[in-house]
Amino acid sequence: MDYAVGISGTSRQNLLSLQGTAALSSINQTRLNTGKSVNSALDDPLKFFTAQSLTDRASALTSLLGGMSNGIQTVQAASKGIDTMIDYMKQLQSVVQQAQSNIAQNLPTAASNALASAVEVTAVGGSARDIAMNKTVLGTAAAAASATNNGNLGLPPTTMGTGPNATKVATQASIQLKAGSSTYTFDVDATDKVGDVVAQINKSGIATASVDSQGKLQVTGVGSDPLTIAFGKVNGPGVATPTVDKPGTFVADNANTTKLFGTAAANSTATPIVATAGGSAARSALVSQFNSLRDRINEASQDASFSGVNLLNGDRTTVVFNEKSGAGQAKLDIQGTKTNTTTLGIGVMQDSAAAATGADFSIQNNADLQKATNALSGAIASLKSLSGTLSSNQSIIQTRQDFTKNLTNILKTGADNLTNADMNEEAANSQALQLRQSLGISALSLANQANQGVLQLLR
């Protein structure tokens, strides 16, 4: 048999009030513990899902910050590599400048020849240099200078060709200078003197000439390429044997070349005078220094990598800026450039007087040293340009990195504004609910006391 216990309406109302207070206290305690007023979709679906979307995007953007940081470090590694390469390039420039400082030792100089004798100086009473400079170059026979005659060297005029113009040029000869790829040829007329020959050589841009105080002629190349000097003729039209002596070609008269310019280290009566520059030991010592620094440049280029990516080795890196994909994705592609001494046009230094081929240089060759100077200046300019491009890319990444950090903070703040609880309000609610619960318990107690009074009457 079931028994039902009756509860007065007042007590039941008080119990319901206490249950409601307990429920509100539970919600209040959850908010105080989590700091959020919306903890699930049941609390407020719109705020909950909006805040969740903002938080998810903030998390996605935060995950991209690591890639941006790696991109910056990759660019910085390449930039530091370029700085190091430029420092080495400047040291190479110093080596080249040291080599250029002793240029005089490497100029080819033809052996001198006495153009005025002591007898002539005594007879005429002038200086040996003046006598030599005033001598006529061409003549049927050599003649000493005297009080009434300037004298002449007696070099024969050369008939250039056997055609209709032969008589017109029968009193001329030619002198040819060659150094490297440069050639300079000029005519000597019957009235030309040694001084005129000196002036023509000085106009050539290939060599310089002078007569010293002893009446000796010296010819010195302006560069370090071997200098070839020859006296002879240039064939005119109508030559008898065009297959051998073509019109316009220079034919050397080797015996008379020796008479005018003297003997040289490689002198032979069968060839023109060849003046070869002497090698410089100081320059030779700089070859290994140059090539060692060149190797250091390549090492710096190879070591300028970060996390396996080396922009100086032609690698490519991509930095992603947003969480989207496809056409909506924001990113920066950085294509590296293979950068080393080969691509920069800095070849190997050789200990040679002959001009080197390609991008290489000969340290004993003055023209090659200038070529090295120009190549190094161009290489430094190229490296600085590449450094500027990398700096621009780094600035772009850093700006976007700062933007992403700020945007992430905005998204998180927006999400918090939707879901965070007002802790001051919740603390006040907690106090109010505690008081409410206490009053409810007191009211229930009073109701029970009233019921007990009725029970006493029944007894």
Side-chain angles (χ1 to χ4, degrees):
M1 182 176 180
D2 294 331
Y3 293 92
V5 178
I7 300 176
S8 67
T10 302
S11 295
R12 190 177 299 281
Q13 186 64 39
N14 287 333
L15 285 172
L16 289 174
S17 178
L18 285 172
Q19 289 174 355
T21 301
L24 291 175
S25 294
S26 176
I27 294 173
N28 176 255
Q29 288 300 313
T30 299
R31 290 177 177 178
L32 288 172
N33 291 335
T34 62
K36 293 182 177 296
S37 62
V38 179
N39 288 286
S40 69
L42 297 175
D43 296 329
D44 189 322
L46 179 60
K47 288 184 177 180
F48 178 79
F49 287 114
T50 301
Q52 189 176 61
S53 176
L54 294 174
T55 301
D56 289 345
R57 189 184 180 204
S59 299
L61 290 175
T62 300
S63 67
L64 296 175
L65 289 174
M68 295 181 200
S69 178
N70 284 343
I72 291 173
Q73 299 305 314
T74 300
V75 172
Q76 285 184 342
S79 182
K80 292 300 180 183
I82 289 176
D83 291 343
T84 302
M85 294 173 72
I86 289 176
D87 288 340
Y88 283 134
M89 288 285 183
K90 290 180 179 178
Q91 294 180 47
L92 285 180
Q93 285 181 321
S94 178
V95 171
V96 173
Q97 288 171 359
Q98 290 182 59
Q100 289 175 318
S101 66
N102 63 359
I103 186 172
Q105 299 182 45
N106 291 73
L107 295 179
T109 303
S112 59
N113 191 32
L115 303 180
S117 65
V119 174
E120 290 174 315
V121 173
T122 302
V124 178
S127 69
R129 179 182 181 280
D130 290 341
I131 293 171
M133 291 283 282
N134 285 322
K135 279 191 172 184
T136 303
V137 176
L138 304 181
T140 55
S146 67
T148 58
N149 186 359
N150 289 332
N152 69 75
L153 301 182
L155 299 181
T158 307
T159 301
M160 294 185 288
T162 57
N165 293 331
T167 56
K168 185 176 180 181
V169 295
T171 58
Q172 289 181 322
S174 296
I175 293 176
Q176 186 180 80
L177 306 174
K178 293 180 68 175
S181 60
S182 299
T183 301
Y184 184 79
T185 305
F186 61 93
D187 294 331
V188 181
D189 294 325
T191 58
D192 283 345
K193 299 178 181 180
V194 172
D196 297 317
V197 172
V198 169
Q200 283 285 353
I201 293 174
N202 289 332
K203 287 170 56 178
S204 69
I206 296 175
T208 60
S210 63
V211 175
D212 62 19
S213 60
Q214 295 180 340
K216 294 182 178 181
L217 174 65
Q218 285 194 330
V219 182
T220 303
V222 297
S224 54
D225 288 313
L227 175 66
T228 299
I229 312 169
F231 174 88
K233 68 177 181 178
V234 175
N235 283 322
V239 294
T241 54
T243 57
V244 178
D245 296 331
K246 296 180 180 179
T249 59
F250 178 84
V251 180
D253 181 347
N254 301 310
N256 287 301
T257 295
T258 304
K259 288 182 180 180
L260 178 59
F261 295 105
T263 58
N267 175 50
S268 168
T269 55
T271 60
I273 299 298
V274 178
T276 304
S280 167
R283 286 186 173 186
S284 298
L286 296 173
V287 172
S288 60
Q289 185 177 345
F290 183 98
N291 291 332
S292 177
L293 286 170
R294 181 180 181 275
D295 292 339
R296 302 293 85 76
I297 291 173
N298 292 330
E299 291 170 357
S301 174
Q302 289 299 311
D303 293 340
S305 63
F306 178 83
S307 191
V309 179
N310 188 347
L311 296 177
L312 299 185
N313 195 39
D315 295 345
R316 180 188 179 93
T317 187
T318 300
V319 182
V320 179
F321 292 144
N322 64 11
E323 76 284 6
K324 300 177 182 179
S325 60
Q329 187 179 66
K331 62 182 180 178
L332 176 65
D333 293 321
I334 304 176
Q335 177 60 58
T337 303
K338 197 170 186 64
T339 308
N340 51 41
T341 54
T342 300
T343 61
L344 291 170
I346 307 300
V348 176
M349 185 65 77
Q350 303 170 352
D351 191 5
S352 171
T357 59
D360 293 340
F361 317 105
S362 293
I363 202 164
Q364 305 291 354
N365 187 287
N366 297 326
D368 266 23
L369 290 178
Q370 185 58 49
K371 183 176 80 170
T373 297
N374 296 338
L376 289 170
S377 297
I380 290 175
S382 297
L383 289 174
K384 287 182 177 179
S385 176
L386 180 56
S387 178
T389 300
L390 292 176
S391 296
S392 177
N393 287 329
Q394 180 178 331
S395 178
I396 291 172
I397 300 173
Q398 286 179 329
T399 301
R400 191 58 190 248
Q401 185 183 52
D402 293 339
F403 168 75
T404 300
K405 289 179 180 179
N406 290 328
L407 181 58
T408 299
N409 184 60
I410 290 172
L411 293 171
K412 289 180 178 179
T413 300
D416 290 341
N417 289 339
L418 291 172
T419 60
N420 281 357
D422 185 338
M423 300 306 288
N424 291 328
E425 181 181 353
E426 296 303 327
N429 287 338
S430 178
Q431 292 293 327
L433 288 170
Q434 288 178 14
L435 179 59
R436 183 175 175 179
Q437 187 176 39
S438 178
L439 291 174
I441 292 172
S442 297
L444 182 61
S445 177
L446 290 173
N448 287 336
Q449 287 179 7
N451 291 335
Q452 288 176 3
V454 174
L455 181 60
Q456 290 295 331
L457 290 175
L458 294 174
R459 288 179 180 175

